[in-house]
Amino acid sequence: MRYISTRSLPGAAGLPFCDILLEGLAPDGGLYLPESYPDLAGRLGELREVWQREGYAGLGFTILREFIDDIDDEDLRGICTRAWNADVFGTPEVAPVTELADGLHLAHLSNGPTAAFKDMAMQLLGQLFEYELERRGRELNILGATSGDTGSAAEYAMRGRNRIRVFMLTPAGRMTPFQQAQMFSLDDPAITNIAVEGVFDDCQDLVKAVSNDLAFKQRHSIGAVNSINWARLVAQVVYYVAAWLQVTSSDDEQVSFCVPSGNFGNICAGHVARQMGLPIRTLLLATNENNVLDEFFRTGVYRVRSGAETHETSSPSMDISKASNFERFVFDLLGRDGERTAELFGATLTAQGSFDLSDGPDFARVREDFGFASGSSTHADRVATIRQVWQDHEVMIDPHTADGVHVAQDFRAREGGSEPMVVLETALPVKFAATIREALDREPEVPAAFAHLDDLPRHVVDLPKDVTALKELIAKRLDLPA
Ligand SMILES: Cc1ncc(COP(=O)(O)O)c(C=O)c1O
Ligand SMILES: N[C@@H](CCOP(=O)(O)O)C(=O)O
């Protein structure tokens, strides 16, 4: 399998998986995707047998080997087994699915080391990076941006690994006290937490600006752990298949997924799974008040928002107004036209801050051919949903998962549909205690591993929203010239 950029010209030569793993963002500013999607449609029975016989890691290996042909099978199987097991994720299923009521299910993706779905992919990335860096005798300095969960998942997955350092940008003051404590309490010379004056999108813009300086990137061995890195997405494809297998008993059964969305990484993995032939009926995207993506799926207009227009909400990890991975979907939607994608996400967005696909034939295909629908929630919706799910089912969900449950219930009430609807749980309530208190008048359970976080000293550096200052900081820490 070879990989091309969403901004590449026809006939561009593809790169192997391990090259793009270390590269992160493509040199032309685009995002990598496989030249074509492998076809799983005729192999669902085989996947069901693998799931029953070998569990999550075996299923993961079977899917990943379709995308990765530059790691040999035995090594790749070992990587999957070390990443996805009951010791790391707490249950033999790794990502179990439970039914809330009447065909509405929750996929539990947050039982990993940092209590968010990011662990599902990040644990694999830690293994892949270490393997490939060892093989090449190289080092990698990961530069990432987080709105609260990617950062800690990356740091917990990378710490203690040879040849890897992490520089993680956070939007100053915008993460919950728990999210801050979880990241900033890490005391490790290989980890630098950086609080940027701005919102998540500013942090992500800085990451892209540094990555687009190809000389700096090469000189400082800069890599990526955000979902701009294809490896994050391919890892997430696995739990769509695992969830589908858990709620179906035959290969022709369709399932819909509702996905709380911000940077469009999680649902983009669902799109890839659907393109591979997994019987997904609807991919239902849920946003909070930062509803850029919901607006696109309702109207065909993609209009990014400034930091000042980005609301600070009670599902803060989704306070994102420029969704990186959306470019991957648009590339597919436009028939993989790299030139047009480059123009839309380059010149057009820079000049106008928006683009409009509502007029052409492409937008109609969003629902009909690609299965997308969307909705959004308000703070009041999330609080009411957390309360309702607790009262009706004695299940405590976090505000992001509540975004998903709210949108899923609303969609089912409006459109019906007899297929199971799986809402992807994206974090545990412990990360968002204030909203849980407001909804339920009680504290979320604090897993033992996090009991003393608050008492630990914090390690974080303040930085203005300035790419030169960031490059200087990285160079200084690495003891290299900027
Ligand atoms: C808890 C939580 N829910 C949902 C999301 C949205 O996921 P994505 O950015 O992949 O769309 C994120 C991060 O973005 C998150 O941390
Ligand atoms: N919600 C994320 C931000 C998006 O990050 P990505 O790594 O999934 O692109 C976070 O919690 O940091």
Side-chain angles (χ1 to χ4, degrees):
M1 177 65 77
R2 291 289 179 273
Y3 292 85
I4 52 169
S5 162
T6 50
R7 300 188 188 184
S8 57
L9 299 173
L15 293 170
F17 175 82
C18 289
D19 284 7
I20 64 147
L21 168 73
L22 300 183
E23 177 98 46
L25 200 65
D28 59 12
L31 280 75
Y32 285 113
L33 273 177
E35 278 176 342
S36 62
Y37 295 118
D39 188 5
L40 288 182
R43 297 179 52 199
L44 298 173
E46 179 202 333
L47 292 178
R48 199 177 291 281
E49 280 172 27
V50 171
W51 168 251
Q52 281 155 3
R53 207 176 50 236
E54 300 172 29
Y56 197 94
L59 181 71
F61 164 71
T62 309
I63 294 167
L64 258 53
R65 76 202 288 221
E66 297 297 317
F67 291 96
I68 303 175
D69 54 16
D70 50 351
I71 298 179
D72 72 45
D73 279 3
E74 200 184 325
D75 290 350
L76 186 58
R77 193 182 275 284
I79 285 169
C80 293
T81 307
R82 289 192 296 279
W84 293 316
N85 58 66
D87 289 341
V88 180
F89 287 96
T91 63
E93 296 93 343
V94 174
V97 179
T98 56
E99 186 168 12
L100 276 182
D102 307 327
L104 183 66
H105 300 258
L106 273 185
H108 299 275
L109 306 178
S110 309
N111 294 324
T114 67
F117 79 102
K118 309 280 177 176
D119 291 323
M120 298 295 305
M122 216 59 91
Q123 287 296 312
L124 183 86
L125 243 69
Q127 298 289 341
L128 284 169
F129 278 144
E130 191 168 63
Y131 174 88
E132 190 54 22
L133 292 172
E134 196 62 44
R135 193 157 72 160
R136 295 186 186 203
R138 264 194 59 186
E139 301 203 341
L140 196 65
N141 297 307
I142 287 164
L143 177 61
T146 187
S147 54
D149 298 316
T150 290
S152 45
E155 293 177 356
Y156 279 63
M158 305 302 158
R159 69 181 168 163
R161 294 195 189 280
N162 291 326
R163 303 172 184 277
I164 301 178
R165 284 179 217 85
V166 179
F167 295 87
M168 189 56 65
L169 307 180
T170 70
R174 288 202 171 225
M175 305 193 304
T176 66
F178 181 94
Q179 289 175 316
Q180 294 184 40
Q182 198 177 33
M183 279 182 71
F184 300 164
S185 62
L186 287 178
D187 184 8
D188 186 323
I191 292 174
T192 307
N193 287 312
I194 303 164
V196 174
E197 252 340 294
V199 296
F200 168 78
D201 296 317
D202 297 317
C203 298
Q204 187 164 246
D205 285 348
L206 285 172
V207 168
K208 289 184 177 172
V210 171
S211 299
N212 284 331
D213 179 343
L214 299 183
F216 184 92
K217 182 179 178 182
Q218 196 181 22
R219 196 162 59 247
H220 297 84
S221 302
I222 301 293
V225 276
N226 279 104
S227 53
I228 53 177
N229 192 323
W230 165 255
R232 279 275 309 280
L233 258 66
V234 76
Q236 290 174 226
V237 170
V238 179
Y239 56 67
Y240 280 89
V241 181
W244 178 82
L245 288 166
Q246 288 177 77
V247 297
T248 59
S249 50
S250 67
D251 300 345
D252 52 1
E253 287 174 61
Q254 286 200 315
V255 173
S256 290
F257 286 91
C258 182
V259 189
S261 295
N263 218 7
F264 204 76
N266 204 1
I267 201 162
C268 193
H271 160 68
V272 172
R274 196 174 185 278
Q275 293 304 107
M276 291 168 72
L278 192 70
I280 296 176
R281 182 154 186 225
T282 303
L283 282 167
L284 181 57
L285 174 139
T287 69
N288 61 23
E289 292 86 340
N290 296 301
N291 60 352
V292 174
L293 292 167
D294 177 38
E295 182 172 271
F296 172 80
F297 286 103
R298 280 185 291 106
T299 66
V301 176
Y302 180 64
R303 184 176 64 85
V304 299
R305 317 266 160 87
S306 67
E309 289 173 297
T310 301
H311 304 282
E312 215 170 327
T313 77
S314 52
S315 45
S317 304
M318 287 162 45
D319 292 349
I320 297 175
S321 300
K322 284 184 198 168
S324 285
N325 287 284
F326 185 58
E327 178 167 340
R328 286 190 162 112
F329 170 65
V330 170
F331 179 65
D332 282 347
L333 179 66
L334 301 181
R336 302 202 136 203
D337 182 339
E339 256 174 295
R340 211 170 145 213
T341 308
E343 193 187 304
L344 289 178
F345 285 89
T348 308
L349 270 189
T350 308
Q352 293 168 205
S354 67
F355 60 74
D356 183 353
L357 299 183
S358 64
D359 265 356
D362 301 311
F363 187 58
R365 299 182 62 220
V366 164
R367 180 81 192 258
E368 283 163 26
D369 295 351
F370 291 94
F372 274 91
S374 72
S376 69
S377 74
T378 62
H379 174 70
D381 294 328
R382 291 187 288 279
V383 168
T385 305
I386 292 169
R387 201 171 285 146
Q388 175 232 321
V389 171
W390 176 250
Q391 281 167 357
D392 294 354
H393 312 293
E394 287 186 36
V395 173
M396 197 186 285
I397 56 173
D398 92 290
H400 304 75
T401 310
D403 282 312
V405 172
H406 169 77
V407 168
Q409 291 186 146
D410 194 48
F411 179 83
R412 293 178 104 215
R414 219 177 41 244
E415 304 224 358
S418 57
E419 79 284 358
M421 168 73 78
V422 179
V423 178
L424 299 188
E425 170 212 80
T426 57
L428 293 188
V430 65
K431 295 191 132 180
F432 309 98
T435 307
I436 298 299
R437 275 195 296 273
E438 182 182 341
L440 305 179
D441 199 20
R442 61 189 292 160
E443 294 294 328
E445 187 194 336
V446 181
F450 306 129
H452 302 294
L453 282 186
D454 264 349
D455 308 333
L456 300 172
R458 307 292 166 96
H459 306 274
V460 57
V461 182
D462 292 324
L463 201 81
K465 191 172 65 186
D466 177 54
V467 68
T468 308
L470 175 59
K471 285 181 188 167
E472 280 169 8
L473 173 73
I474 294 172
K476 194 164 166 218
R477 294 266 161 154
L478 299 177
D479 209 10
L480 287 169

